[in-house]
Amino acid sequence: MLALLIKTFLVQAFSIPSASMQNTLQEGDRVLVDKLTPWFGSEPERGEVVVFHDPDNWLAGEATANPNAVQKVLSWIGLMPSAEEKDLIKRVIGVGGDTIECKGTGPLKVNGHALNEQDYVYAGNTPCSDDQGGGTFKVKVPKGYIWVMGDHRQDSKDSRYNQNDKHHGMVPVKDVVGRAIVKAWPINRWGTLPVPDTFDQPGLGQQASSSAASVSSVLPAAPDAAVLAGVVPVALWRRRRR
């Protein structure tokens, strides 16, 4: 019962299945996701790394995890997500009311302000992709939605490349599971996932006056003890510096 309460209301562990968030997150990393603060009305903010349910078949064609017996038991008692859950992890670039723009190879702009992304965009990648398939765009994020992108820009099927879905590439806030706050495993990669400084630049949150209309679910049994040891402190960790 305690494990189920922790999974539902506090934090949950997720495994990173792909390279779309390199180098911030490596394939095989395990992260802890804060599920507590949304219960108090907190919504995703620019720069945060969030886990969210597949908005509209973004994971089409992706293989479904095949957990072993131990992992199935851990999922049943609430220590792991279900292998059937379809979740993704990306960085929030824009929130409701924001205008997001990419042209050529960049920079990426939010409400007319260029982001300095060298601290988290994968080395060798450009902030934008010079293509018409999704790399070049200008969008207004509707209220109640977020625009997300992977840190490995040239290897991430994110909001840019799902603009033909029913949400036009946006992710409904209601589909956000929570914010990834800690890299919990392997131990040598332990660390927090803070909001990059560029998202704190003056004027970034000044929006136009008119409003706009897969994380793998399999967490190996070995790191569970280490992960759960940090549950309570992590759940109380502040969402971001002010």
Side-chain angles (χ1 to χ4, degrees), residues 69-86:
V70 173
Q71 292 163 345
K72 288 180 180 179
V73 171
L74 292 173
S75 175
W76 182 76
I77 63 177
L79 295 181
M80 289 173 51
S82 167
E84 285 71 40
E85 290 181 14
K86 298 290 186 179

Side-chain angles (χ1 to χ4, degrees), residues 2 4 9 25 50 54-55 73 81 118 132 143 171 183-184 210 217 230:
L2 176 59
L4 181 59
F9 299 108
L25 297 171
V50 297
D54 190 337
V73 171
Q118 63 181 2
Q132 297 299 319
K143 297 298 183 182
V171 177
K183 291 177 288 186
S210 60
S217 297

Side-chain angles (χ1 to χ4, degrees), residues 46-103:
R46 303 179 198 91
E48 294 179 346
V49 176
V50 297
V51 171
F52 54 95
H53 298 312
D54 190 337
D56 188 28
N57 211 27
W58 288 19
L59 292 173
E62 296 289 336
T64 302
N66 185 25
N68 59 37
V70 173
Q71 292 163 345
K72 288 180 180 179
V73 171
L74 292 173
S75 175
W76 182 76
I77 63 177
L79 295 181
M80 289 173 51
S82 167
E84 285 71 40
E85 290 181 14
K86 298 290 186 179
D87 297 319
L88 301 95
I89 185 166
K90 306 289 180 187
R91 188 178 299 278
V92 179
I93 300 299
V95 297
D98 285 345
T99 297
I100 318 296
E101 181 177 8
C102 253
K103 185 177 181 180

Side-chain angles (χ1 to χ4, degrees), residues 56-230:
D56 188 28
N57 211 27
W58 288 19
L59 292 173
E62 296 289 336
T64 302
N66 185 25
N68 59 37
V70 173
Q71 292 163 345
K72 288 180 180 179
V73 171
L74 292 173
S75 175
W76 182 76
I77 63 177
L79 295 181
M80 289 173 51
S82 167
E84 285 71 40
E85 290 181 14
K86 298 290 186 179
D87 297 319
L88 301 95
I89 185 166
K90 306 289 180 187
R91 188 178 299 278
V92 179
I93 300 299
V95 297
D98 285 345
T99 297
I100 318 296
E101 181 177 8
C102 253
K103 185 177 181 180
T105 56
L108 176 64
K109 295 182 179 180
V110 178
N111 298 323
H113 295 264
L115 297 180
N116 180 357
E117 302 189 284
Q118 63 181 2
D119 290 340
Y120 57 89
V121 166
Y122 185 73
N125 278 193
T126 55
C128 304
S129 299
D130 193 8
D131 67 74
Q132 297 299 319
T136 298
F137 62 88
K138 185 175 183 178
V139 297
K140 184 74 174 286
V141 184
K143 297 298 183 182
Y145 290 80
I146 56 176
W147 179 271
V148 299
M149 296 171 67
D151 289 354
H152 196 163
R153 291 290 158 80
Q154 274 74 66
D155 191 18
S156 176
K157 186 180 178 183
D158 47 41
S159 289
R160 297 169 293 169
Y161 298 99
N162 288 283
Q163 294 185 63
N164 291 324
D165 74 3
K166 66 181 180 181
H167 302 299
H168 307 292
M170 314 293 175
V171 177
V173 170
K174 66 179 180 60
D175 288 342
V176 175
V177 176
R179 176 186 174 186
I181 52 176
V182 169
K183 291 177 288 186
W185 191 267
I187 292 298
N188 64 347
R189 284 184 50 76
W190 177 277
T192 59
L193 294 167
V195 172
D197 290 341
T198 190
F199 289 95
D200 288 331
Q201 62 179 285
L204 187 68
Q206 294 179 355
Q207 305 168 337
S209 57
S210 60
S211 59
S214 147
V215 175
S216 170
S217 297
V218 177
L219 178 67
D224 282 341
V227 169
L228 290 177

Side-chain angles (χ1 to χ4, degrees), residues 10-68:
L10 297 179
V11 297
Q12 190 170 354
F14 289 86
S15 178
I16 308 303
S18 74
S20 69
M21 281 297 293
Q22 285 182 320
N23 275 330
T24 303
L25 297 171
Q26 302 285 357
E27 186 172 353
D29 282 354
R30 277 71 171 176
V31 298
L32 293 181
V33 174
D34 169 21
K35 302 177 71 175
L36 176 64
T37 50
W39 283 89
F40 296 95
S42 180
E43 294 191 353
E45 298 182 13
R46 303 179 198 91
E48 294 179 346
V49 176
V50 297
V51 171
F52 54 95
H53 298 312
D54 190 337
D56 188 28
N57 211 27
W58 288 19
L59 292 173
E62 296 289 336
T64 302
N66 185 25
N68 59 37

